[in-house]
C-alpha cells in the first residue's frame, strides 16, 4: 500500500473571460500562489474521512454511498469527487487532511482547489495514474454535483497552469496555451467583504445566467435559420457568425425558457437540463443582456491576450475596466462593494480592475504597475476592510 500522498492545488484568479466558459467561449485565468494542500493516506475501511483546517466539520463519507454522509456544504464537493472517482479508481478508504492558505468561500476557487486536490491525491493514494487533464474533467463534473452548472475554467487552470503565465483555455474545440505575463505587471486581489458561496441564492443566480445564454443561443440560431444540434446549445455555436452582435440586440430583454424553446421549436429540457439542480421553465430570465455580455467578453479575451503579448499594460488595464462594466450592467453579477473596491484600486494607481470569478460578492482583481502594489492594497482595504494582497501567477496542481 502506498504511503501518504500530498497534492498541492492552487486557487485561481480569472483575468479575462468571465461567465464565458459555460457558453463554450474562451477564458484567460491564472493559478495563484495560495493553495490547498491535500494529504491522503489509503486504508481498507471503505470510508473516506476528510478533515480540513479550511472548512468546518470532518466529513465521513462511505466509498459506495458518499451522498448519505454529506453534513456540510463542502462535503457535497467531496461526495461529487468520490462519485467521479468510482469509475476510475477502485480504492477502498482513506484518511485525508486539507490545509493551506487559500481563503475559503470568497471567490478564489477554494471549492475547485478542493475537488481537484482531493481527486488527484486520492487517485495517487489508490495507485491510479490520472493525467491532470482527466483530474480537471472529473473535478468539473464533481463540482456540478452541488448544483452549480460550472463551466470548467477553474478546474482546468488549477490542474494545468504554469508559473509566470496565464492559461488561455478554449472549450470548442478544447485547447489550452500558456500566455506569458509581461515584466512590470503585478496583480492585487481584494475581498469585497461579502462571501460568494456557491449555494443558495448565488447558485440560482448563476444557473439563471447559464440557462439565459442557452436560450439566447437557440433564439439566435433560429433567427439565422438553423438549429443547434449539440446539447446543451451554447453561444459558442453561433458566436462566429458575422452579424451575431447585431442579431443579439434583437433578442428579447427577458423571456421564460419555455417560451424561448417554443419560439425556437425545441424541447425546453434542452435549455433547462442541469446536472444536479432544478430550473423553473416559466421563470422570466434575462436573455439579451447576458448574450451581449458573453459575446463582448469573448472578444475581450482575444484583446487581453494580445495586450499581454504586446506588453501593452495600459490596454490590458482598460480591458479589465470594460469587463467590469459589462459584468455590472449586462450580466449583472457585481455588487456595490465590488464596484467600490474596483474604483478605489483604480484611483490608487491600478491600470484596471474588475470582479473576478462568478461575482455576487467575493474578490476583485486589479492589474497594477509593479512597485505600486502597496498603494493599491491600502486603497482596497480602506474601501472594504480587505483582505487585499498581491497574487503571483503560479504552477497548477503538483503531487509532492
Ligand atoms: C465560477 C465558475 C466558473 C466560471 C466563473 C465565471 O467560478 O465555477 O466555471 O463560470 O464562475 O466566469
Amino acid at each position: 500500500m502506498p504511503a501518504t500522498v500530498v497534492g498541492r492545488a492552487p486557487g485561481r484568479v480569472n483575468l479575462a473571460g468571465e461567465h464565458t466558459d459555460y457558453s463554450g467561449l474562451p477564458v484567460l485565468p491564472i493559478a495563484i500562489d495560495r493553495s490547498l494542500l491535500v494529504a491522503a493516506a489509503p486504508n481498507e475501511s471503505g470510508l473516506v474521512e476528510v478533515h480540513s483546517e479550511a472548512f468546518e466539520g470532518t466529513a465521513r463519507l462511505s466509498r459506495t454511498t458518499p451522498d448519505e454522509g454529506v453534513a456540510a456544504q463542502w462535503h457535497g464537493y467531496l461526495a461529487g469527487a468520490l462519485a467521479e472517482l468510482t469509475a476510475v479508481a477502485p480504492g477502498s478508504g482513506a484518511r485525508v487532511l486539507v490545509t493551506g492558505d487559500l481563503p475559503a468561500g470568497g471567490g478564489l476557487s477554494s471549492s475547485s482547489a478542493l475537488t481537484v486536490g482531493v481527486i488527484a491525491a486520492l487517485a495517487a493514494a489508490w495507485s491510479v495514474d490520472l493525467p491532470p487533464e482527466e483530474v480537471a474533467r472529473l473535478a468539473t463534473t464533481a463540482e456540478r454535483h452541488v448544483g452549480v452548472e460550472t463551466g470548467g475554467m477553474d478546474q482546468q487552470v488549477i490542474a494545468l497552469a504554469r508559473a509566470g503565465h496565464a492559461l488561455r483555455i478554449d472549450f470548442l474545440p478544447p485547447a489550452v496555451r500558456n500566455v506569458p505575463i509581461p515584466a512590470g505587471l503585478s496583480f492585487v486581489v481584494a475581498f469585497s467583504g461579502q462571501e460568494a458561496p456557491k449555494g443558495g441564492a448565488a447558485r440560482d443566480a448563476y444557473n439563471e445566467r447559464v440557462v439565459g445564454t442557452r436560450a439566447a443561443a437557440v433564439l439566435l440560431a433560429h433567427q439565422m435559420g438553423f438549429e443547434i444540434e449539440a446539447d446543451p446549445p451554447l453561444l459558442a455555436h453561433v458566436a462566429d457568425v458575422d452579424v451575431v452582435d447585431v442579431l443579439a440586440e434583437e433578442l428579447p430583454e427577458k423571456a421564460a425558457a419555455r417560451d424561448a424553446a417554443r419560439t425556437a421549436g425545441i424541447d425546453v429540457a434542452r435549455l433547462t437540463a442541469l446536472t444536479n439542480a432544478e430550473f423553473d421553465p416559466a421563470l422570466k430570465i434575462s436573455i439579451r443582456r447576458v448574450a451581449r455580455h458573453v459575446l463582448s467578453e469573448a472578444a475581450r479575451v482575444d484583446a487581453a491576450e494580445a495586450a499581454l503579448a504586446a506588453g501593452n499594460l495600459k490596454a490590458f488595464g482598460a480591458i479589465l475596466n470594460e469587463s467590469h462594466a459589462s459584468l455590472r450592467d449586462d450580466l449583472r453579477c457585481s455588487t456595490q462593494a465590488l464596484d467600490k473596491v474596483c474604483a478605489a484600486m483604480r484611483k490608487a494607481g491600478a491600470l484596471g480592475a474588475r470582479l473576478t470569478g462568478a461575482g455576487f460578492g467575493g474578490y476583485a482583481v486589479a492589474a497594477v504597475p509593479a512597485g505600486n502594489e502597496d498603494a493599491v492594497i491600502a486603497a482596497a482595504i480602506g474601501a472594504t476592510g480587505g483582505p487585499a494582497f498581491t497574487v503571483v501567477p503560479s504552477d497548477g496542481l503538483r503531487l509532492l
Side-chain angles (χ1 to χ4, degrees), residues 12 14 17-22 27 109 112 143 148-155 198 206 357-359:
R12 70 90 187 89
N14 189 17
E18 212 65 87
H19 286 269
T20 49
D21 60 353
Y22 52 75
V27 293
S109 226
S112 302
E143 188 139 351
V148 182
E149 202 67 11
T150 162
M153 159 176 72
D154 306 342
Q155 299 80 4
K198 281 188 174 163
Y206 184 93

Side-chain angles (χ1 to χ4, degrees), residues 143-203:
E143 188 139 351
R144 291 181 185 150
H145 207 83
V146 302
V148 182
E149 202 67 11
T150 162
M153 159 176 72
D154 306 342
Q155 299 80 4
Q156 285 201 52
V157 70
I158 289 168
L160 303 172
R162 207 166 105 200
H165 295 75
L167 188 70
R168 155 100 187 204
I169 307 172
D170 287 280
F171 298 92
L172 272 184
V176 292
R177 67 173 169 260
N178 291 303
V179 179
I181 301 297
L185 178 58
S186 292
F187 299 106
V188 167
V189 295
F191 187 48
S192 63
Q194 301 161 321
E195 292 228 331
K198 281 188 174 163
R203 179 191 55 209

Side-chain angles (χ1 to χ4, degrees), residues 243-268:
V243 290
V244 68
D245 295 336
V246 179
L247 293 179
E249 290 305 317
E250 289 163 25
L251 285 167
E253 172 79 34
K254 285 187 157 217
R258 140 186 105 187
D259 298 329
R262 193 177 302 132
T263 304
I266 63 159
D267 181 355
V268 67

Side-chain angles (χ1 to χ4, degrees), residues 359-387:
F360 312 109
Y363 273 78
V365 60
V368 179
N372 281 23
E373 296 90 341
D374 289 348
V376 172
I377 289 171
I381 293 174
T384 54

